């Protein structure tokens, strides 16, 4: 064998063979990267049960909050019997307590910051880059309040260039839904805002 040619399998490969490599950037195959384990991995390589959405999917599905997200996510249920204090369940596990001081079994993180209060959990999903719903206990990475799972929300970040996005829709009874964002540099190559 040629010493410069790597072997097809190595002792460090998983039982099914070598790990899946991402396709080349120009192949036209969509690649989903998951940050659920606090590092970027391909969805195929993650051992967790994850449902991931990007900006385009959220827009096409018209997802505006977590209650809308539950319609497209297996095993995620949002119980809104007490509208001001919703309760979240993943795989049937959750806390059926409508007290505003109760912290449920589904951890919600917006850009790495936990949102524990049930009152704040059904907020509007605005300018979101990705949403990841992790099913199953996540206590090792997301704390004691993630026994059912976790929902990770990542806001769109400025890239240092000028850019705009807008979405306007018109519905019955003259209802108008509009949202937009502007990204711009504050100090070139140092600081940007969105």
């Amino acid at each position: 064998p040629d010493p410069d040619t790597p072997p097809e399998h190595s002792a460090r490969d998983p039982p099914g063979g070598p790990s899946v490599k991402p396709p080349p950037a120009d192949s036209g195959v969509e690649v989903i990267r998951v940050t659920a384990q606090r590092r970027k991995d391909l969805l195929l390589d993650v051992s967790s049960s994850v449902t991931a959405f990007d900006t385009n999917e959220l827009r096409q599905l018209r997802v505006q909050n977590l209650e809308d997200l539950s319609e497209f996510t297996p095993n995620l249920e949002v119980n809104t019997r007490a509208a001001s204090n919703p309760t979240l369940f993943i795989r049937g596990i959750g806390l059926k307590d409508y007290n505003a001081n109760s912290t449920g079994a589904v951890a919600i993180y917006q850009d790495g910051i936990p949102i524990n209060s049930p009152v704040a959990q059904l907020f509007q999903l605005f300018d979101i880059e990705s949403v990841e719903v992790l099913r199953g206990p996540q206590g090792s990475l997301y704390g004691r309040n993630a026994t059912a799972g976790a929902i990770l929300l990542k806001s769109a970040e400025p890239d240092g260039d000028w850019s705009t996005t807008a979405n306007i829709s018109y519905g019955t009874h003259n209802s108008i839904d509009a949202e937009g964002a502007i990204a711009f540099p504050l100090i070139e190559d140092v600081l940007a805002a969105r």
Side-chain angles (χ1 to χ4, degrees), residues 6 11 13 24 36 41 57 125 152-153 168 174-175 180 187:
D13 288 335
D41 290 323
E57 290 172 318
L125 296 181
L152 311 178
L153 306 158
I168 300 174
N174 294 323
S175 65
I187 301 171

Side-chain angles (χ1 to χ4, degrees), residues 119-140:
V119 175
Q121 290 180 340
L122 283 188
F123 56 89
Q124 194 79 10
L125 296 181
F126 175 73
D127 204 25
I128 297 291
E129 180 180 309
S130 67
V131 175
E132 297 172 12
V133 179
L134 295 92
R135 292 184 289 279
Q138 304 294 324
S140 61

Side-chain angles (χ1 to χ4, degrees), residues 21 38 82 84 87 118 125 140 142 145:
K21 301 293 185 242
R38 303 227 175 139
S84 61
T87 56
L125 296 181
S140 61
Y142 298 105
N145 296 326

